[in-house]
Amino acid sequence: MAVYIYTFYKFHYMFILPQEKIKYLTKNSCKFIPIEWQLILANEGSFTQILNSLSGKKIHINMLQKNHYTSKNMNKHIRCIWLENSIYTKFIFARSIWIFTYLDTIDNIIQANKPIGNSLINSQVDTYKNIHEIYYGYSKDLEQKFQNHQPLWGRKYTLYYKNKSSVTIQEFFSPYIINFFYI
């Protein structure tokens, strides 16, 4: 099965770990997912801040796509970004789909060239993260961008604000990230 995650990135799933198994992952060790990846994938905090701490360098955002759709009932905002360091090493590709239930509140908080997690933390907005799935697979396009030809880990989750879903995020991680555990 393949899914298009951006206009030209095709991802082929080798397996998907559904939500009910993720809860098990956070309580017990999972033999087929290396412990470093378990720590990354089950993390419920701001991954950008963790990446800053692991790498010891400031992480930058490179915006690829930003669209805003408005219908009678709903405003949607789609954003595709790369998180990378100052020498353009790509660590994460992320796609977020925002449903602006609280358009005035959230839209003013999320800064265009800042990671979502950092913007929410700096603005002291209380959100809840619900991880829906963790996946493993491959994408020739993403592997080329990451400059690493290994299978990729990813996850999909929703952030809730005032008990309503506000954004769903898909993230695909560079295999290089686990090297930070060995420095």
Side-chain angles (χ1 to χ4, degrees):
M1 175 172 80
V3 64
Y4 290 93
I5 49 175
Y6 182 63
T7 53
F8 56 87
Y9 298 151
K10 189 179 205 181
F11 187 80
H12 301 273
Y13 294 97
M14 294 166 72
F15 80 80
I16 298 173
L17 188 66
Q19 187 173 17
E20 58 274 4
K21 303 278 184 179
I22 294 169
K23 293 181 191 317
Y24 173 81
L25 176 67
T26 58
K27 294 177 182 156
N28 304 294
S29 181
C30 184
K31 293 179 182 175
F32 63 92
I33 301 176
I35 190 70
E36 298 88 353
W37 282 112
Q38 290 180 46
L39 292 170
I40 291 168
L41 297 166
N43 172 346
E44 293 189 15
S46 167
F47 191 74
T48 305
Q49 287 190 323
I50 290 169
L51 198 52
N52 280 330
S53 297
L54 286 173
S55 70
K57 296 186 176 15
K58 185 171 168 106
I59 302 301
H60 303 278
I61 190 169
N62 180 1
M63 185 86 60
L64 295 176
Q65 176 185 15
K66 184 177 177 182
N67 295 325
H68 191 81
Y69 301 100
T70 304
S71 68
K72 290 181 183 178
N73 302 334
M74 192 177 304
N75 288 315
K76 283 186 183 180
H77 181 75
I78 298 173
R79 184 172 99 151
C80 295
I81 58 105
W82 285 102
L83 290 181
E84 52 192 29
N85 64 13
S86 58
I87 57 173
Y88 306 107
T89 301
K90 294 177 179 358
F91 297 120
I92 298 173
F93 172 77
R95 178 180 121 169
S96 57
I97 301 173
W98 290 82
I99 299 172
F100 287 117
T101 306
Y102 302 99
L103 185 59
D104 293 334
T105 306
I106 298 288
D107 197 26
N108 293 327
I109 290 170
I110 304 304
Q111 300 164 357
N113 292 325
K114 298 286 183 194
I116 293 168
N118 282 359
S119 294
L120 293 172
I121 289 169
N122 292 339
S123 301
Q124 299 180 357
V125 172
D126 190 23
T127 60
Y128 164 74
K129 181 187 287 186
N130 183 19
I131 301 173
H132 301 291
E133 56 191 28
I134 291 173
Y135 31 82
Y136 184 72
Y138 62 95
S139 166
K140 289 181 183 179
D141 297 317
L142 289 173
E143 290 169 20
Q144 182 179 12
K145 294 288 186 182
F146 286 134
Q147 297 181 358
N148 195 317
H149 299 289
Q150 298 177 28
L152 304 171
W153 289 97
R155 66 182 179 176
K156 181 169 81 172
Y157 59 90
T158 298
L159 291 177
Y160 291 85
Y161 173 68
K162 294 188 177 180
N163 294 322
K164 297 202 179 199
S165 66
S166 55
V167 61
T168 298
I169 301 172
Q170 270 187 305
E171 296 172 324
F172 295 86
F173 299 94
S174 166
Y176 179 78
I177 290 174
I178 62 165
N179 292 335
F180 292 129
F181 287 93
Y182 304 110
I183 295 177

